[in-house]
Short mmCIF file of all heavy atoms in Angstrom, two decimals:
data_model
loop_
_atom_site.label_atom_id
_atom_site.label_comp_id
_atom_site.label_asym_id
_atom_site.label_seq_id
_atom_site.Cartn_x
_atom_site.Cartn_y
_atom_site.Cartn_z
N VAL O 175 10.56 -10.35 23.73
CA VAL O 175 11.81 -9.71 24.01
C VAL O 175 12.96 -10.62 23.48
O VAL O 175 12.95 -11.79 23.81
CB VAL O 175 12.01 -9.47 25.52
CG1 VAL O 175 13.29 -8.78 25.82
CG2 VAL O 175 10.86 -8.69 26.07
N LEU O 176 13.91 -10.04 22.79
CA LEU O 176 15.08 -10.79 22.37
C LEU O 176 16.15 -10.60 23.43
O LEU O 176 16.65 -9.50 23.67
CB LEU O 176 15.62 -10.30 20.97
CG LEU O 176 16.68 -11.21 20.37
CD1 LEU O 176 15.97 -12.28 19.53
CD2 LEU O 176 17.66 -10.42 19.56
N SER O 177 16.52 -11.69 24.07
CA SER O 177 17.47 -11.58 25.19
C SER O 177 18.89 -11.40 24.69
O SER O 177 19.23 -11.71 23.55
CB SER O 177 17.40 -12.85 26.06
OG SER O 177 17.96 -13.92 25.31
N ALA O 178 19.73 -10.85 25.58
CA ALA O 178 21.13 -10.62 25.23
C ALA O 178 21.83 -11.98 24.90
O ALA O 178 22.65 -12.05 24.01
CB ALA O 178 21.86 -9.98 26.41
N ALA O 179 21.43 -13.08 25.61
CA ALA O 179 22.04 -14.34 25.38
C ALA O 179 21.72 -14.85 23.94
O ALA O 179 22.58 -15.30 23.22
CB ALA O 179 21.58 -15.31 26.42
N VAL O 180 20.44 -14.75 23.59
CA VAL O 180 20.05 -15.18 22.27
C VAL O 180 20.78 -14.33 21.19
O VAL O 180 21.21 -14.84 20.20
CB VAL O 180 18.51 -15.03 22.11
CG1 VAL O 180 18.09 -15.15 20.64
CG2 VAL O 180 17.81 -16.04 22.97
N LYS O 181 20.84 -13.05 21.46
CA LYS O 181 21.52 -12.16 20.52
C LYS O 181 22.97 -12.60 20.28
O LYS O 181 23.43 -12.73 19.12
CB LYS O 181 21.52 -10.73 21.03
CG LYS O 181 22.08 -9.65 20.10
CD LYS O 181 21.83 -8.28 20.71
CE LYS O 181 22.81 -7.27 20.12
NZ LYS O 181 22.81 -6.00 20.87
N GLN O 182 23.69 -12.91 21.37
CA GLN O 182 25.09 -13.32 21.22
C GLN O 182 25.12 -14.66 20.44
O GLN O 182 26.01 -14.81 19.61
CB GLN O 182 25.71 -13.50 22.63
CG GLN O 182 25.96 -12.19 23.30
CD GLN O 182 26.66 -11.11 22.44
OE1 GLN O 182 27.61 -11.42 21.74
NE2 GLN O 182 26.19 -9.86 22.51
N ALA O 183 24.21 -15.55 20.69
CA ALA O 183 24.23 -16.83 19.99
C ALA O 183 24.04 -16.62 18.51
O ALA O 183 24.72 -17.28 17.66
CB ALA O 183 23.17 -17.74 20.59
N GLN O 184 23.11 -15.75 18.16
CA GLN O 184 22.85 -15.46 16.72
C GLN O 184 24.06 -14.77 16.07
O GLN O 184 24.44 -15.11 14.95
CB GLN O 184 21.61 -14.54 16.56
CG GLN O 184 20.29 -15.21 16.86
CD GLN O 184 19.95 -16.33 15.94
OE1 GLN O 184 20.09 -17.52 16.30
NE2 GLN O 184 19.57 -16.01 14.70
N LEU O 185 24.63 -13.83 16.79
CA LEU O 185 25.77 -13.09 16.27
C LEU O 185 26.96 -14.05 15.88
O LEU O 185 27.70 -13.79 14.96
CB LEU O 185 26.26 -12.05 17.26
CG LEU O 185 25.39 -10.78 17.36
CD1 LEU O 185 25.96 -9.87 18.43
CD2 LEU O 185 25.37 -10.05 16.01
N ALA O 186 27.08 -15.10 16.67
CA ALA O 186 28.16 -16.06 16.40
C ALA O 186 28.04 -16.73 14.99
O ALA O 186 28.99 -17.23 14.46
CB ALA O 186 28.22 -17.15 17.46
N LYS O 187 26.84 -16.65 14.44
CA LYS O 187 26.61 -17.24 13.10
C LYS O 187 26.98 -16.32 11.95
O LYS O 187 26.86 -16.75 10.77
CB LYS O 187 25.11 -17.68 12.97
CG LYS O 187 24.64 -18.64 14.05
CD LYS O 187 23.14 -18.89 13.86
CE LYS O 187 22.57 -19.66 15.08
NZ LYS O 187 21.09 -19.60 15.08
N CYS O 277 12.98 -16.23 18.07
CA CYS O 277 14.28 -15.59 18.31
C CYS O 277 15.29 -15.77 17.16
O CYS O 277 16.37 -15.31 17.25
CB CYS O 277 14.87 -16.02 19.61
SG CYS O 277 15.16 -17.82 19.67
N LEU O 284 21.09 -8.23 13.65
CA LEU O 284 21.55 -8.07 15.05
C LEU O 284 22.92 -7.37 15.12
O LEU O 284 23.18 -6.64 16.02
CB LEU O 284 21.55 -9.43 15.75
CG LEU O 284 20.13 -10.06 15.88
CD1 LEU O 284 20.19 -11.41 16.58
CD2 LEU O 284 19.17 -9.13 16.58
N GLU O 288 23.80 -3.98 16.88
CA GLU O 288 24.94 -3.87 17.84
C GLU O 288 25.83 -2.69 17.61
O GLU O 288 26.18 -1.93 18.49
CB GLU O 288 25.75 -5.17 17.75
CG GLU O 288 26.99 -5.16 18.63
CD GLU O 288 26.94 -6.20 19.76
OE1 GLU O 288 25.83 -6.32 20.35
OE2 GLU O 288 27.94 -6.84 20.00
N ASN O 293 20.01 -2.06 22.09
CA ASN O 293 19.95 -3.23 22.98
C ASN O 293 18.52 -3.62 23.29
O ASN O 293 18.29 -4.64 23.97
CB ASN O 293 20.65 -2.96 24.29
CG ASN O 293 22.11 -2.68 24.03
OD1 ASN O 293 22.76 -3.49 23.38
ND2 ASN O 293 22.61 -1.57 24.52
#
Side-chain angles (χ1 to χ4, degrees):
Chain O
V175 181
L176 191 89
S177 71
V180 167
K181 185 175 158 191
Q182 290 310 318
Q184 289 297 102
L185 284 177
K187 302 176 191 166
C277 61
L284 298 179
E288 174 114 320
N293 298 309

